[in-house]
Amino acid sequence: MSQKKPPRPACGVEFPKDAKGERSTTEINKETFAVAIEAIDADLASKVRAEKKWRGRYSKYLLEQVEASLRSPQAALNVASAGLNYLHNTMEFVRDDKCTSFKEAMATITSGGFETGVVQGEAPTKAEAVIPYKGKMLRGDALKVQVDKWVRSGVIELSCGHAMTQVADRKDWLDLSGLTFVMLGASSAMGPFPMLMALGATVVAVDIDRPNIWKKLIGICKSSSGKLVFPLKKPQGQCANDDELAEAAGCNLLEQAPEIRNWLLTVEPKSNEFAVGVYAYLDGPLFMKISVAMDGIVDSLVAKRKASVAYLCTPTDAHVVPAAAMDAAGTNLRKAPMWQGVLAMFLKGPKAMKPNKRKPVMAENGEEFYVCDATVVDQGPNYILAKRLQHWRCLLTREAGCKASSNIAPSTATVSVVSNKMFALAYKGMHNFKPVEVFEQETSSAVMGLLLVNDLRNQNSVANPAVELGNPLALFADTSFHGGAWRCGYKFGNIGVGSVLSAIFTNYILAAFLVLYNVFQTLGWSLALFKIVEHATAASKSSSLWEVAGPTIGWFQWLAVAEICFALLGMVRSPVATTGMQVFSRLMLVECVRYSTVAQGNDNIFLWMMCIAWSVTEIVRYSFYALNLAGISLMPLTFLRYTLFLVLYPTGVAGEMGCLWKSIPDMVANKSAYESEMVKHMFQPVLRHSLGYPLVVVPVYVIGLYTLYSYMLVQRKKVLGGGRAKGGKMKKN
């Protein structure tokens, strides 16, 4: 049996020891919240300290703290100041078995630092806004169109969309050659390092001393127009090549925070525009420790170099939001699918699905603020305190007259997140809770980079301390790319169970069912076509075409009514109204032919046209859907799906119109082979009239064919590219 590894010796930033001699995270976490809120509300602080189940209930007190901070601007600043002061005074710094407070270590260790490495990029500056999204590189008008879609769907706030399009239009903003940007955690998956390099910025990179990280950063720099500045353990002149440079590069934020600060106070001394971004992340309690270390560095850079600060806010927190976001949350709750309402009735306790919309908080001056509680309790109190620390530093930095950029980033499928199987499964199902969208890290990184540029360049950005806010916490309400968390009908932190269940149902149960359904329809229409061909090639025809193939066609066409239910229940993305019109128009034709003996005759060429066109169309369509749902893409079938309609749609429409024309005599004479309520109440009143066919049937079919044909032509161009792409291969959807 393997023995448990001994704990790592205390070194660098550490939690203080408790009465038992252990470095507990829970007690300092809770006490930080208590001390922070005690600055404005002693009663609430007492409740925090009295809480026995802090790990499961911390989010309740987080929300109450945010709401209490909205009483006045000074209240928010008092909370921030008290919380940060407590952490700096209480967290410890251990070196050579000597322990001091973190604050004392930062104040006394003022000597020591690093050598400086510099690498200059070799490529021209690319002053262009680009967002990678779903396999495409969005720029120019395409970028603006997608941003508008995100705004309209509620994935981002209007101010966020405006900021991104403004940056895209301002190439002068995208020239960052005069900016020196310190990145604490330069290799972060969500960080803007590649973008800053491409736009010509000078990036002072701080990251762990691992050669593979520095080889990657140096490589990115050389292929850009930017300048990379970084700490070295020995002079750059002693490094013969890039490999040796990477070996000597890097530092340790947890253990060397004072020395890193000392070094950063000296680099790029002539820079007129100096900013520091905080991007390093570690799991569990380590995130809290590294956040304190970075905050100590940021505090010094703001005080001594008047640095602007930049953070990435998580959407899973309690934020001040626009009133429009809360209104949209209420609307989306009313429009939520039936299954979500049923699930909400059964889920109780911490996992209960609760409405996202909340009542406003009234400030002392009468101003109303809305707070969205999107906290995910499972993230843990250490994570939320680390993010709260960043909020507090933003507030105090802005109050000190320096810019503070802290935009909300969306839920992102980073490697660290999706490595947790439950999180990965939940992410697959979150899109079922409109308007939530989970993004790939390349998209999130690019978007947050553009918002950072907006904050640094746009004097009207709320990052600028000259822009007045009703409360410092309103800083986080602007330019938010929250991924739909603020406008979801249910609290974002409570949709996890529903997302997992919907992912399981959608990706496994529903997918299998829909594959079987489409296979069954494919076989059914194949049988119909076989009967049509068999009847056409028969030497003698004792029965009519409809008597042979009609029952099969009718049965499978009536089965398609299920597709309306699929759309209604949200099982497929097809619009209910459009699906209903398509299915019922076919059913009316089936009933019409059943009704009219004239229309059923073997001499009715229109019936042959309609039945053949329907059968071939449905065989291709249903087989295409079945294979796509199974994850199989066959280019020949895709080609047929988006090509045969050029002939089959006009053929089918001509056949349908002809069958209706053939049935007119039976309609007028009320002579039927089959009683049909649908025909009686829908067709007969129209076709009995001499002008019914030319004034109703013909215009409806002409308009319908034009609309559907135009739509399919657009889809064909989108999927097939109107021909062959580069390399002689057709584009795949």
Side-chain angles (χ1 to χ4, degrees), residues 362-599:
M362 185 74 71
E364 291 175 354
N365 64 359
E367 187 175 357
E368 289 186 341
F369 294 95
Y370 288 84
V371 178
C372 177
D373 177 19
T375 310
V376 177
V377 177
D378 291 343
Q379 289 178 144
N382 285 315
Y383 177 84
I384 210 66
L385 180 56
K387 302 307 290 185
R388 189 56 33 187
L389 177 155
Q390 296 177 2
H391 281 55
W392 292 338
R393 181 56 62 193
C394 276
L395 269 55
L396 297 182
T397 297
R398 198 173 183 278
E399 182 66 13
C402 298
K403 291 182 179 178
S405 171
S406 189
N407 299 296
I408 315 297
S411 293
T412 305
T414 59
V415 174
S416 62
V417 173
V418 297
S419 61
N420 182 305
K421 292 183 179 180
M422 289 303 292
F423 278 1
L425 199 57
Y427 272 13
K428 288 182 179 180
M430 280 186 177
H431 68 275
N432 293 305
F433 290 84
K434 303 298 180 185
V436 175
E437 181 174 354
V438 176
F439 290 85
E440 297 299 321
Q441 68 181 42
E442 293 80 10
T443 303
S444 296
S445 177
V447 165
M448 302 316 293
L450 294 181
L451 295 177
L452 172 63
V453 171
N454 175 71
D455 286 341
L456 295 176
R457 291 287 189 253
N458 186 356
Q459 294 304 308
N460 294 319
S461 166
V462 294
N464 184 354
V467 176
E468 292 187 10
L469 297 175
N471 186 285
L473 287 176
L475 169 68
F476 309 104
D478 206 58
T479 61
S480 174
F481 201 107
H482 49 73
W486 289 2
R487 293 175 175 246
C488 181
Y490 293 96
K491 286 176 62 175
F492 187 75
N494 295 136
I495 65 172
V497 173
S499 297
V500 169
L501 292 176
S502 65
I504 293 172
F505 178 75
T506 302
N507 292 297
Y508 301 103
I509 301 173
L510 178 60
F513 169 77
L514 290 177
V515 167
L516 291 174
Y517 171 80
N518 283 286
V519 167
F520 188 59
Q521 282 279 21
T522 301
L523 295 175
W525 285 99
S526 298
L527 177 62
L529 183 61
F530 174 78
K531 289 183 176 182
I532 293 169
V533 173
E534 185 181 46
H535 184 67
T537 56
S540 61
K541 298 178 176 62
S542 58
S543 301
S544 68
L545 170 63
W546 190 253
E547 288 174 326
V548 173
T552 302
I553 291 174
W555 196 92
F556 281 94
Q557 192 56 62
W558 272 103
L559 179 61
V561 173
E563 295 170 26
I564 303 174
C565 299
F566 299 163
L568 186 64
L569 294 173
M571 295 167 63
V572 295
R573 296 182 180 181
S574 304
V576 178
T578 304
T579 304
M581 290 173 60
Q582 291 173 341
V583 171
F584 277 109
S585 64
R586 287 277 194 92
L587 289 177
M588 286 190 290
L589 262 299
V590 168
E591 293 300 289
C592 183
V593 174
R594 279 182 175 179
Y595 182 91
S596 174
T597 53
V598 176

Side-chain angles (χ1 to χ4, degrees), residues 106 109-119 180-186 193 202-208 214 217 227-236 245 248-253 256-270 274-277 296-298 300-301 304-305:
M106 294 298 287
I109 304 176
T110 55
S111 62
F114 300 89
E115 297 291 337
T116 300
V118 178
V119 174
T180 298
F181 195 88
V182 178
M183 283 191 69
L184 303 180
F193 182 81
T202 295
V203 175
V204 182
V206 175
D207 216 314
I208 193 71
W214 291 100
L217 296 179
K227 176 182 175 183
L228 175 63
V229 180
F230 51 99
L232 286 170
K233 299 181 182 71
K234 61 183 180 180
Q236 187 168 354
L245 200 60
C251 52
N252 191 312
L253 279 164
Q256 297 173 302
E259 288 81 5
I260 295 170
R261 184 271 319 272
N262 298 341
W263 176 70
L264 289 174
L265 289 174
T266 65
V267 297
E268 298 296 312
K270 296 181 180 180
F274 194 84
V276 54
I297 296 170
V298 171
S300 295
L301 294 180
K304 298 181 180 181
R305 298 201 64 170

Side-chain angles (χ1 to χ4, degrees), residues 126-133 136-148 150 156 159-176 179 181 190-199 273 279 310-312 403 405-410 439 441-459 461-463 478-481:
K126 299 177 181 178
E128 182 182 30
V130 181
I131 299 177
Y133 182 64
K136 297 180 180 179
M137 299 301 289
L138 303 180
R139 48 171 56 88
D141 289 340
L143 184 151
K144 294 177 183 178
V145 168
Q146 184 57 57
V147 167
D148 183 63
W150 283 331
I156 67 177
S159 58
C160 178
H162 179 68
M164 283 194 287
T165 54
Q166 204 170 6
V167 171
D169 287 336
R170 294 291 300 268
K171 288 196 173 183
D172 56 323
W173 286 3
L174 290 165
D175 180 2
L176 301 182
L179 171 67
F181 195 88
M190 286 286 289
F193 182 81
M195 186 206 72
L196 292 172
M197 287 282 99
L199 299 180
E273 189 177 7
Y279 302 101
Y311 296 93
L312 294 178
K403 291 182 179 178
S405 171
S406 189
N407 299 296
I408 315 297
F439 290 85
Q441 68 181 42
E442 293 80 10
T443 303
S444 296
S445 177
V447 165
M448 302 316 293
L450 294 181
L451 295 177
L452 172 63
V453 171
N454 175 71
D455 286 341
L456 295 176
R457 291 287 189 253
N458 186 356
Q459 294 304 308
S461 166
V462 294
D478 206 58
T479 61
S480 174
F481 201 107

Side-chain angles (χ1 to χ4, degrees), residues 6-279:
R8 184 178 65 87
C11 185
V13 181
E14 293 286 353
F15 290 94
K17 290 183 178 180
D18 58 18
K20 298 179 181 179
E22 298 176 350
R23 298 189 182 277
S24 170
T25 63
T26 301
E27 286 306 313
I28 189 173
N29 189 292
K30 184 167 68 170
E31 186 61 18
T32 302
F33 274 96
V35 170
I37 197 61
E38 195 170 32
I40 60 171
D41 192 327
D43 290 339
L44 183 54
S46 297
K47 292 178 181 178
V48 170
R49 291 189 174 102
E51 179 57 62
K52 300 298 183 183
K53 298 180 179 179
W54 180 251
R55 185 164 292 276
R57 296 179 180 174
Y58 71 89
S59 61
K60 171 180 180 290
Y61 300 100
L62 166 68
L63 181 61
E64 291 180 356
Q65 183 194 96
V66 172
E67 292 180 337
S69 298
L70 291 170
R71 295 172 187 171
S72 68
Q74 194 57 49
L77 295 172
N78 288 348
V79 167
S81 180
L84 288 177
N85 285 337
Y86 176 78
L87 281 171
H88 281 237
N89 282 301
T90 307
M91 291 293 285
E92 295 180 347
F93 190 82
V94 180
R95 178 174 289 175
D96 300 328
D97 294 327
K98 294 180 181 179
C99 180
T100 64
S101 71
F102 176 70
K103 182 176 182 179
E104 183 180 352
M106 294 298 287
T108 57
I109 304 176
T110 55
S111 62
F114 300 89
E115 297 291 337
T116 300
V118 178
V119 174
Q120 179 63 55
E122 302 164 355
T125 300
K126 299 177 181 178
E128 182 182 30
V130 181
I131 299 177
Y133 182 64
K134 293 186 176 180
K136 297 180 180 179
M137 299 301 289
L138 303 180
R139 48 171 56 88
D141 289 340
L143 184 151
K144 294 177 183 178
V145 168
Q146 184 57 57
V147 167
D148 183 63
K149 289 180 180 178
W150 283 331
V151 171
R152 291 177 182 275
S153 64
V155 172
I156 67 177
E157 292 305 305
L158 179 62
S159 58
C160 178
H162 179 68
M164 283 194 287
T165 54
Q166 204 170 6
V167 171
D169 287 336
R170 294 291 300 268
K171 288 196 173 183
D172 56 323
W173 286 3
L174 290 165
D175 180 2
L176 301 182
S177 55
L179 171 67
T180 298
F181 195 88
V182 178
M183 283 191 69
L184 303 180
S187 65
S188 166
M190 286 286 289
F193 182 81
M195 186 206 72
L196 292 172
M197 287 282 99
L199 299 180
T202 295
V203 175
V204 182
V206 175
D207 216 314
I208 193 71
D209 49 350
R210 293 177 183 169
N212 61 313
I213 289 177
W214 291 100
K215 286 179 182 179
K216 179 180 178 181
L217 296 179
I218 291 171
I220 292 173
C221 174
K222 286 194 168 183
S223 63
S224 75
S225 61
K227 176 182 175 183
L228 175 63
V229 180
F230 51 99
L232 286 170
K233 299 181 182 71
K234 61 183 180 180
Q236 187 168 354
Q238 296 180 14
C239 300
N241 50 48
D242 286 350
D243 287 343
E244 289 189 14
L245 200 60
E247 288 284 345
C251 52
N252 191 312
L253 279 164
L254 282 173
E255 299 178 5
Q256 297 173 302
E259 288 81 5
I260 295 170
R261 184 271 319 272
N262 298 341
W263 176 70
L264 289 174
L265 289 174
T266 65
V267 297
E268 298 296 312
K270 296 181 180 180
S271 176
N272 293 322
E273 189 177 7
F274 194 84
V276 54
V278 175
Y279 302 101

